[in-house]
Amino acid sequence: MERKQLDAWLTAEQGGDEDAADAALAHVFAAVPKVQPRSVFVEQAVTTAWRWRAGRQRVLVLAWTAAAALVLAVVVFAYSASPLLGGSIVKAIAYLSGHTVPWLIAYASVALHGWLTLGHVGAVIAAALVTPGRVAAVVGVELFGILAFYALHRIASAERLGDAEV
Amino acid sequence: MAVQRSDAELARDARSGSEAAYRELVARYATPAVNFTYRFVHERALAEDLAQEGFLRVYQRLNTYDPERKFSSWFFQVLRNVTIDYLRVNRLPTASLDALEEEGHRAAAVDRESASPEELAGRGELASAVAAALSHIRPDYREVVTLRYQEGLTQPEIAEILGLPAGTVKTYLHRARKELAEILAAQGWGRAPAEPTAGKTV
């Protein structure tokens, strides 16, 4: 029976009939015995999954408990210590902002001034160097370079493919 | 008569914490899963371990399963990833033909309770030949052949599992069948040897 199925498939394969070969090979595989898992396989898979589930639930419960305890502790501490801490925090913020903000403004002004100066110098140099003739020369050299690179690329590609055609 | 629940329903219930639903799902896919992994590792115990790992990963990711998709496609996708992860870390040596034939006979021995001696003899011989031939084709061809002919999946489903265009799957199947036919014909199966395939990929 199986031998017949195999012969039928090989014949269909030789004949080039795609659908027939596909169906025939499916018949051949249907006759091939399957590896059966051990009888404890299912139980083992379920136990493993449920053990993982229990572990995950424990971790989740622990994480939530720790987070809730932390939030509670912070709230209790803030409530009980607010009369003492409130004034100190406001003073610290005022001190820091009073000492840092003027310096920040001063540094920003200096940096802006330096940048504007550089801009002026650059404009003067550019006005001296850029003339229509020089611009035309630079553009011409660039165009020539691009064309040379393109030609080299074509030659290299053609040689790689064994067909020197530029 | 009780109506059999669909895979998607079982997956949904298992995700909600139903152990019975998960058990049913494992029972349905245990044999396909072990057979799938077996085709790549050629060792029953290892195939079972990989299938177990696959089931655990499936359970861990049930919340990512879209019930609109066919469960089997999603399941084999997860199982394939588990198998690939294993094969990447543990490169298996190429099995010899003798060893593969032995594996084929071993495969034949596992369900001998349900077949007559004549059937077993025929099946064993056929299983050896097919298993040996299957082990000699490219792994990606073997994958599509296993999913198509062993698990009975359609070409679009295989394409979805493997993340390949449907046309590529069709080509792989065509070439795999040709290569299998050549190997089996060379071993004396069939009436006449098959013609060699043009542009055979190694």
Side-chain angles (χ1 to χ4, degrees), chain A residues 22 35-36 38 43 53, chain B residues 23 35 48 59 148-149:
Chain A
D22 187 65
V35 181
Q36 297 296 329
R38 286 170 300 140
E43 199 53 48
R53 184 173 182 255
Chain B
R23 189 184 301 276
N35 278 274
E48 283 198 13
Y59 184 75
R148 174 77 187 103
Y149 301 112

Side-chain angles (χ1 to χ4, degrees), chain A residues 88-112:
Chain A
S88 307
I89 290 169
V90 170
K91 277 180 195 168
I93 290 169
Y95 177 82
L96 282 173
S97 52
H99 278 78
T100 53
V101 171
W103 279 106
L104 276 173
I105 291 169
Y107 279 125
S109 303
V110 170
L112 192 64

Side-chain angles (χ1 to χ4, degrees), chain A residues 15-79:
Chain A
D17 188 343
E18 192 78 12
D19 292 336
D22 187 65
L25 187 56
H27 280 299
V28 170
F29 267 84
V32 173
K34 292 195 169 184
V35 181
Q36 297 296 329
R38 286 170 300 140
S39 55
V40 293
F41 183 89
V42 174
E43 199 53 48
Q44 202 178 335
V46 174
T47 307
T48 309
W50 248 249
R51 203 173 286 158
W52 175 83
R53 184 173 182 255
R56 187 165 164 268
Q57 279 176 340
R58 268 198 301 275
V59 168
L60 278 174
V61 167
L62 271 173
W64 276 109
T65 311
L70 189 68
V71 168
L72 193 68
V74 169
V75 167
V76 168
F77 177 75
Y79 181 76

Side-chain angles (χ1 to χ4, degrees), chain A residues 1-54 56-57, chain B residues 14 16-19 22-23 26-27 30-31 34-35 38-39 44 48 51-52 55-56 59-60 107-108 110-111 122-123 126-127 130 134 145 148-151 155 170 173-174 177-178 180-181 184-185 188-195:
Chain A
M1 180 64 183
E2 284 79 16
R3 177 80 196 215
K4 275 184 186 172
Q5 287 168 338
L6 198 65
D7 287 343
W9 165 53
L10 291 173
T11 307
E13 206 66 63
Q14 279 180 307
D17 188 343
E18 192 78 12
D19 292 336
D22 187 65
L25 187 56
H27 280 299
V28 170
F29 267 84
V32 173
K34 292 195 169 184
V35 181
Q36 297 296 329
R38 286 170 300 140
S39 55
V40 293
F41 183 89
V42 174
E43 199 53 48
Q44 202 178 335
V46 174
T47 307
T48 309
W50 248 249
R51 203 173 286 158
W52 175 83
R53 184 173 182 255
R56 187 165 164 268
Q57 279 176 340
Chain B
S16 309
S18 165
E19 191 178 324
Y22 182 65
R23 189 184 301 276
V26 175
T31 303
V34 172
N35 278 274
Y38 183 83
R39 292 287 163 229
R44 184 177 159 163
E48 283 198 13
Q52 287 280 349
F55 277 112
L56 179 61
Y59 184 75
Q60 288 169 339
V110 292
D111 72 343
R123 280 183 179 193
L126 181 68
V130 174
L134 198 54
V145 167
R148 174 77 187 103
Y149 301 112
Q150 188 175 283
E151 306 309 331
Q155 288 182 17
K170 194 174 179 180
L173 276 173
H174 175 78
R177 278 204 324 266
K178 287 281 179 202
L180 280 175
L184 288 167
W189 293 87
R191 292 190 187 100
E195 284 175 19

